[in-house]
Amino acid sequence: MSAVATPTTTWYLVLAAAVFSIGVVGVMIRRNPLVMFMCIELMLNAANLSFVALAERLGDIEGQSVVLFVMVVAAAEVVVGLGLIVAIYRRRPNVTADDLIELKG
Amino acid sequence: MIELFVFVAASAMVLVGALGVVLRRHPVHAALSLVLTLFGVAVHFVALAADFLAAVQVIVYAGAIVVLFLFVIMLLGVDRLEDLRIEPFKVQRPVAVVVGVAMVSLLGIAVAVSSDTGTATPGEGVAVAGFEGEALHDGNIIALARNVFGRHVFAFELTSVLLVVAVVGTVVLARRPRRGEATSDGAAS
Amino acid sequence: MLAASTTPVDFPALSLLILLPVLGAAVVALIPRRQGDIAKVVGLLTSVATGAIALWVLFAFESGVEGFQYVSQHPWIDDWGISWHLGVDGISLLLVALTGVLFPLVIAGVDPHHDHQRYLAWMLLLEAGVMGSFVSLDLFLFFVFFEIVLVPMYFLIGGWGYDQRVYAATKFFLFTMAGSAFMLVGIVATAVLAKADDGAVTFDLVKIAENADFATSTGRWLFAAFAIAFAVKVPLFPLHTWLPDAHTQAPTGGSVILAGVLLKLGTYGLLRFGVYLFPEAAVWARPVFLTLATIGIIWGAIAATMQRDLKRVVAYSSVAHLGFIVLGTFALTSAAVTGGLIQNINHGVSTGALFLLVGMIYERRHTREISELKGLQKVAPVFAGFFTIVMLSSIGVPGLNGFVGEFMVLIGSFGSARWWVTIAATGVIIAALYLLWAYQRVFHTEPDAANSSFPELRWREGMLLAPFVVLIVFCGVYPKPMIDRVQPAVDSLLAHVEERSGWSQPTPDEPVVPAEEPGEQEGED
Amino acid sequence: MGTDILDVMETPVLDWFALSPLLVLLGAALVMLVVGALTPPWPRHLATAVTCAAGIAVGVLGVLLWRQVDREGASLLVNDAVQLDKLTVWSMLIAAVGLVMVSLTSDGFGERENLAQPETHALYLLAALGAIAMAGANSLIVLFLALETMSLALYVLVASHRRRTASQESGLKYFVLGGFSSAVFLYGVALVYGGTGSTEITRMLVALDRQVDLDPMNETMMLAGVALIIVGLAFKVGAVPFHSWVADVYQGAPTPVTSFMASVAKAAAFVAMLRVLLIGLGHWADDYRPVIAALAVLTLVVGSVMAVVQTDVKRMLAFSSVSHAGFMLVGVEAAAHLPGTLESDGTSSVLLYVLVYSVLVLGTFAVVTAVSGHGDASTSLDAFRGLGRSRPVIALAMTVLLLAQAGVPLTSGFVAKFGVISAAAGEKSWLLAVLAMVSAVIAAYLYLRIMISMWVADPVAGDDARPPVQVSRPIAAVVAMSVAFTLFVGVLPGPLVGITP
Amino acid sequence: MLDLIWLIPALPLAGFLVLLVVGRRLGDPRAGYLATAMVAGSFLVSVGVFLELLGLPSEERHEVQRLFTWVPIGDVSVDLAFLADPLSLTMCLFVTGIGTLIHLYATGYMHGDPRYSKFFLYLNLFAFSMLMLVLGSNLLVTFLGWEGVGACSYFLISFWHERDSAATAGKKAFVTNRVGDWGLMMAMFFALWSLGSLDYLHISESATALSTTTATAIALFAFIGACGKSAQLPLYLWLPDAMEGPTPVSALIHAATMVTAGVFLMVRLNPVLAVAADYASWVIAVVGLATALFAATIAVAQNDIKKVLAYSTVSQLGFMFLAVGSGAYVAAVFHMVTHAFFKALLFLGSGSVIHGMHHEQDMRRMGALRIAMPVTAGTFIVGWLAIAGVPPFAGFWSKDEILLFAYDKSPVLYAFGLVAAILTAYYMTRQVVMVFFGEARWHDAHDEHGAHGDFTPHESPRVMLIPLVVLAGLSIVGGAMQLPFSKSLHRLEHWLEPVVERGEHHLTDSAKDIKYLLMAAAIVVALAGVAAGLAVYAARRFRAVEPCVLAEGWYYDRAVTSFMGGPGRKAFDGITALDARAVDGAVNGTGRLVQQIGSQVRRLQTGNMRTYAAAIAVGVVVLLAWFVVLRGVL
């Protein structure tokens, strides 16, 4: 065992950081609003992963409770977000982030 | 050893999935990559002694949310490929890369230098112990339940409001404009 | 300024000076449009009443006494140490009176061409603001009035001005506001930094000035913050460019008020809030202000010479004249400071009258272009006569009011700012040049067709101008009552400065051979 | 291991009275939804009446709570989830005022634009609930949830004008960026949780005290968390560079919604920011104070500069709102000189500012609502041309409100600015104070432009063809309230200044 | 009578006020009579005061009458007060005396002018100002009068303001005078701050306490003022142009009274000059002499009847300053008085000619007028002889005394003074010949004056001739007030002694010794000048030398004008442009810059949410960098 490292909380945190960053980059470069949502979900998951890892490190259940709430939030967000997209797509099918530039300046 | 293996494998799922979300051109593929990530995270949850959350992760996230995504994709027929090779904003992608690299490094540094051993007064643990302190198979759930419905009961109630908002919001959004109503497209700018 | 002596009569004169016009403005604004005439009467009566109170204050003022009179103090915002603290002393007295006199004249004499009621309401609000600025003895209160003045003036220029009114009004508003932005920070900082001594924050001018002891560099920074605001308002070179635009584009009444009293907020402020609060810094900044004032005198005069618009000529002449006032203020000798204050009044009267006259020309000819006007003296000699008197006053011919202040400033400053005065005094040469040249082009030679039907001065206009002329002559011949009221306050201010800053006023060298008093010689005869 | 199965669950002691405003709001929303669903054609004005009533009820309860807090001091509610102190009640009052005024504004608006009344009002109520909870949240979790509650309601409200593509576009933008920043915020919460071991704001410092002998390297993670939390909050208050959504969303949203966002939502965000930064993260005040200062400067300057080049009034006001946020950040910076307490001059200056600005902006947007006309679209500067002639009273009211925003004395706006400047000066942040005032001058140009358009601008051919501006009675009432408050506070600021916490 | 000093200026002031109110109703000629009466009244009062003063012992011959405090300057208060002493009374007498005559003359001369009453209004105002100038007990009251006469001069020069040239001339006079006023003001500043008072009595008592530098400064600055008022180089420019005014004005203001104010001032300040450095008086003397010469050369080539007299005036004033510079204060006053007599006479005479010639001023169109206007011619000839320095006319005595003192100071000054004197005699002879002798040349002018129909010069009305005769008489006997032959005949010197201590007994012996020799030389010179003039213009023995450069006044005026109109104006234009572009440009530029920045930043507001997300992300990274790197790790 000594030769092989055991994953510590830190590992998870770094992983979460990576996923978070990927999510951020995704929001920046994807044009499809749906995919942008997905990237935001990635970011939320990174946060969740961090919470759980830190809960483990701290020996504190609170971090896990938070994740539960976050999942609710994520669900609600997705519902509203998809509702928005549906409403928009009804009028402007296949619209992308780059097309929604009526308001600017 | 096994932990290491699980970690590496699950992390690979997570990362591959995450990259897939960002890089797959087809929205459906992106959604499926997201599922991969979510599963990976669920595995990590298990490894981190969050059994209940792992289950919820799979059920709610992978099961409900992603399905919702796919449903909308299908409903709207948003299955057009996104051409990731073209980028109207020349600076957008370099900025994204720089931001990504910088962010992962900064956050990485921040969390990597944090100490695993430093907790002077560790908390009460993520699972409830039995009478004699033996581990209970549902210790985590009990602990979580106590925490959620005890300490965080206000937050829990707040989620209900949140869900009401989501429901009402969707109703408002989904309502179609009555026929014959003029629209004011373009008049705003 | 130490002892605030109150007048025996317990009559809130100063508060009324502010509140009466506000009330009047409200009433005027609320009178239905159909009864516009009533509104006019109400507006006029309000301003006349205010003017009467102002004059009462002037005459009942105990001259020869230093310190504030008619003091009225009520708490306003306790938590911030702000109070409704009013009072007049010699420094502000004449300005209050001038304000009280100019407004009724302008309201009675100059009609706007439309929206009479709104115009009147703004005018009255403006009067309240100006009055408030002059009588406030609380930094916060002062700032409130100082800044609120912008609003009515902005609307007067913007609503009743000429072609470029929007540009001019905006420029005026923003320029002045930019200046006062610094002052607000300065005021707050002053109060905060002055707090250290007695624990409680106060914005009371007198308390701060007498008790606070700012570190040298702090005082200088604070002074700078105040000075910028006032320098814009004065306006001091090179911050003067809003003035020609605002003056030119404003309606006649607005121009008169602008030149007559609004600019005085700057010179008054420099003295009251710059020199009084921060004596050390004021002494330290003397060279800068003297230099800028001198440049302004010359620069304004030169620019006035080359203007093509008659109103701009007058506007630039204000830059030059106000330069004299600043010069006097920062010469920090009794005569110079007093002279500056006298010049405030005199400039208000003579430039105000000039603007009225230019306004009358515009009304008749619908142009202010000098090249469009010609030979008016032949067709309107009385008009020309009034113009001449006012012009000579503005040039600074002795015997008329313009001379007194200017001369006192120059001769007073000579003791402490010799070289600046040497240059500044040449401004009087150019002053003659630009006014006479403009006069020649407008009034002399044979009138052409367009000007030959120029109507002569009407009775009503004559009645409007008459008080100005009376003041011009009276103040030129017998300025002593004014000076007697001003000088004690100036002397006590300068004593304050000398005590705080190590500044010492130069005194005229005592002659070796003691002079016999002229009176004694009379006795010998 | 500390806990075992026998440990009793922490059952909360419920102070129903203290929670009553939230319950009133929730109840009103639910009643409206249920009844609305059952009786399709609602009588006119009923939704407004219900919302107004709820708002007034919240206001009254707020006042009662205020006196209670005044008497008994602050208290923690529901297992320390919510802090009942003057800040909370303050934002409760702002929410109450906001609800009343917005519902009145959107009363005529809903009819004019033919939008769903009960649902919209329910969403306002729920958003207000979220705002109050956000302001009172004593736990980052509650804060996050409240923020999401409010935000989700706002996303929907923003996009609720079904016939304006701009509305939907702005809704989506707001949603994506809001979600993005929420995620950032959440991640920050996670890191802070890792650093302090708690998500409870009042406990963080305590938790930290426990860890003084800890490996200082945790500090770094903690700081990263602080950074991300600041980003999340800065996004909500619209601080530069996290402001980019503000203009688009304010412009695209139905005008009453804009006013709600600029008042209630912004106020809640600022109160939350104060609470989190000063109490929760007070230990790191020295670290984040420069950041707040930098944000303040950027916000002030960019907001003002951008505002003056706009041609759409809503957009102008949006950027001016950004600029105002910068002013409030100056106050936050001042407050950050005294971390650990909410009783500094800085805090009260921010609170005063948010209240004053909220009322101002509610009135201003009420006028814009009236002017924007059918379709809620004619909000360009040209639409205001000649308002002074055709509608002098409303134009005068607008002028007062604009002057107040410009910070002209004898209006509440000046009092607010003065408070902030005083606070900044009190902490010797001279540069910030000066920059704030200078940018206020730049911003003043924008208000002048609107005033010019209303009063001075020459008529252009075709102006007569425009439909006349209709000012409904509720909107007039809103404007009147706003103007009255503005002038009252401007002339007699004493009482308000006296009670500002 | 001494209590009535105030009445001296008050009477003309009253006249002014009355005319201001009812002048137009009084009309032609009552307004003129009123004005004349007022000045005559002043004259009478002056005489009364004079007599009373004369009755006092010489050291008590000063009386200060204070009306009220005018301008308190710090602790020093400057009163509106009058000082009656020999000098001021001398001035008063000839100002009011000649003034009365000229007023009287003007009632005839201005007859029929549409602005008749206004003319007298100005004249009375002028008289008032001039009397304030001379009677003032301190520099400031003098300055009041000083500026007042300047203003009146402006009004009267541009009296016919419909003529652009008149308007321009008026303006030029005022502005040029202002340059001088600047000097006088500076002198006052120095005086106040070094002596603590502006009172003449105080100054003369404590002048000895002045440092040389200060005294020099006061003297020279005052001299600048004097140069402006008395039309000395380089500020003389306005005086020839001032001839645009009606001729009585030229006589009163620009010959007899106002222009001598500078000399008066320098005499007043003689105690200061005594303390001043040596070069100060040299400067004054040299400037005076140079002006005398310079103007005399120009007068030689002028064809306008009044221009000749104008340059002559400048030249004579130069003589007076030569006197002041040479310490001959009495001589300066003496010449001032005699000059007032004969120059007023000459101007009025020329006015009479102009009147008779229907406003023809060109001497080339005159000639032989002695027949048509015998009285005018006769009196003019008296004036001519007086100015030419032919004994026993008044001019001879005064000029002789000046030259004597000049010799005392330096023979070089004397030599040049003689040249100026000879030129004076020459050009005056030229004028007399051209106007009154030779053949009549006015017939050539018929075409231009066609409107007049049959044109014959006529003698002026009696009201105009009386003053001529009186002045002619004075020009003949005026010299009697100061004759060089014995001490007792130095009447003016004795009279002025309290004010001007320096008299003939201060002369060096060498000068005293050759006093009569110099007098003889002066006579020779005067006669030579007259002879030369006669030879050239009457006998036509020699061709007249009237080079263009002289006719054009050495091109000085033109140079100054073109400098003012050229580089000067360009400089003004430049500053004005700078004001508009640079100063105001900076202001507007700031506004524009803000807008520019706004428009640039606006482009970042693309409307695309991805851009916004990028902005947020960049913000996140920056904040993270700050917290993690700068605050955390480091």
Side-chain angles (χ1 to χ4, degrees), chain C residues 24 27-28 31 37-47 120 124:
Chain C
V27 172
V28 166
I31 291 174
D37 291 339
I38 297 179
K40 281 187 204 176
V41 173
V42 169
L44 184 60
L45 282 181
T46 312
S47 67
L120 275 180
L124 291 171

Side-chain angles (χ1 to χ4, degrees), chain C residues 21-44 46 107 110-126 152 155-156 160, chain D residues 392 396 455:
Chain C
V22 172
L23 194 70
V27 172
V28 166
L30 290 176
I31 291 174
R33 192 163 288 209
R34 282 170 279 113
Q35 286 152 331
D37 291 339
I38 297 179
K40 281 187 204 176
V41 173
V42 169
L44 184 60
T46 312
I107 287 175
V110 189
D111 284 343
H113 295 287
H114 57 95
D115 287 335
H116 208 119
Q117 262 172 277
R118 264 200 267 151
Y119 174 87
L120 275 180
W122 285 128
M123 265 289 174
L124 291 171
L125 281 182
L126 185 63
F155 279 102
L156 284 173
W160 289 267
Chain D
L396 186 66
W455 295 104

Side-chain angles (χ1 to χ4, degrees), chain C residues 22-220:
Chain C
V22 172
L23 194 70
V27 172
V28 166
L30 290 176
I31 291 174
R33 192 163 288 209
R34 282 170 279 113
Q35 286 152 331
D37 291 339
I38 297 179
K40 281 187 204 176
V41 173
V42 169
L44 184 60
L45 282 181
T46 312
S47 67
V48 168
T50 314
I53 298 174
L55 287 179
W56 180 76
V57 168
L58 174 68
F59 289 119
F61 186 87
E62 287 181 55
S63 62
V65 176
E66 60 183 72
F68 292 99
Q69 305 185 21
Y70 302 97
V71 173
S72 120
Q73 187 161 19
H74 305 281
W76 185 22
I77 312 176
D78 274 341
D79 297 77
W80 289 345
I82 292 165
S83 63
W84 175 267
H85 189 185
L86 310 177
V88 284
D89 66 350
I91 291 172
S92 51
L93 178 71
L94 295 179
L95 291 163
V96 169
L98 177 71
T99 310
V101 170
L102 271 189
F103 271 94
L105 287 177
V106 165
I107 287 175
V110 189
D111 284 343
H113 295 287
H114 57 95
D115 287 335
H116 208 119
Q117 262 172 277
R118 264 200 267 151
Y119 174 87
L120 275 180
W122 285 128
M123 265 289 174
L124 291 171
L125 281 182
L126 185 63
E127 178 167 19
V130 174
M131 282 287 188
S133 308
F134 285 138
V135 299
S136 298
L137 295 181
D138 183 284
L139 293 179
F140 182 91
L141 191 62
F142 170 76
F143 184 83
V144 165
F145 287 121
F146 183 81
E147 187 91 341
I148 202 75
V149 161
L150 297 185
V151 177
M153 201 63 228
Y154 171 79
F155 279 102
L156 284 173
I157 298 175
W160 289 267
Y162 302 111
D163 308 341
Q164 299 279 307
R165 60 186 188 277
V166 172
Y167 167 75
T170 309
K171 192 169 176 177
F172 162 75
F173 194 99
L174 291 182
F175 211 137
T176 322
M177 196 177 176
S180 40
F182 291 97
M183 182 164 71
L184 181 62
V185 178
I187 285 177
V188 171
T190 306
V192 166
L193 294 173
K195 168 174 69 171
D197 285 353
D198 55 350
V201 182
T202 178
F203 283 84
D204 193 286
L205 170 71
V206 183
K207 276 188 204 156
I208 293 177
E210 300 297 340
N211 302 328
D213 190 19
F214 301 107
T216 308
S217 65
T218 314
R220 289 175 184 177

Side-chain angles (χ1 to χ4, degrees), chain D residues 321-357:
Chain D
S321 171
V322 172
S323 176
H324 283 291
F327 244 101
M328 298 181 221
L329 282 173
V330 172
V332 175
E333 199 268 352
H337 283 272
L338 281 174
T341 172
L342 290 172
E343 287 173 357
S344 63
D345 284 350
T347 314
S348 24
S349 76
V350 176
L351 292 175
L352 184 63
Y353 206 115
V354 289
L355 174 64
V356 161
Y357 178 69

Side-chain angles (χ1 to χ4, degrees), chain D residues 363-374:
Chain D
T364 313
F365 277 112
V367 176
V368 177
T369 308
V371 174
S372 65
H374 193 74

Side-chain angles (χ1 to χ4, degrees), chain C residues 508-511, chain E residues 190-197 202-203 206-207 210 218 272:
Chain C
D509 296 345
E510 286 305 315
Chain E
F190 272 106
L192 181 88
W193 285 97
S194 52
L195 293 168
S197 173
H202 184 99
I203 291 174
S206 53
L210 283 173
I218 296 175
V272 177

Side-chain angles (χ1 to χ4, degrees), chain C residues 171 240 299 316 411 445 515 522, chain E residues 64 70 161 193 202 579 584:
Chain C
K171 192 169 176 177
H240 63 277
W299 187 278
Y316 271 104
I411 201 164
T445 76
E522 267 177 30
Chain E
V64 174
W70 183 22
H161 52 75
W193 285 97
H202 184 99
D579 188 69
D584 197 26

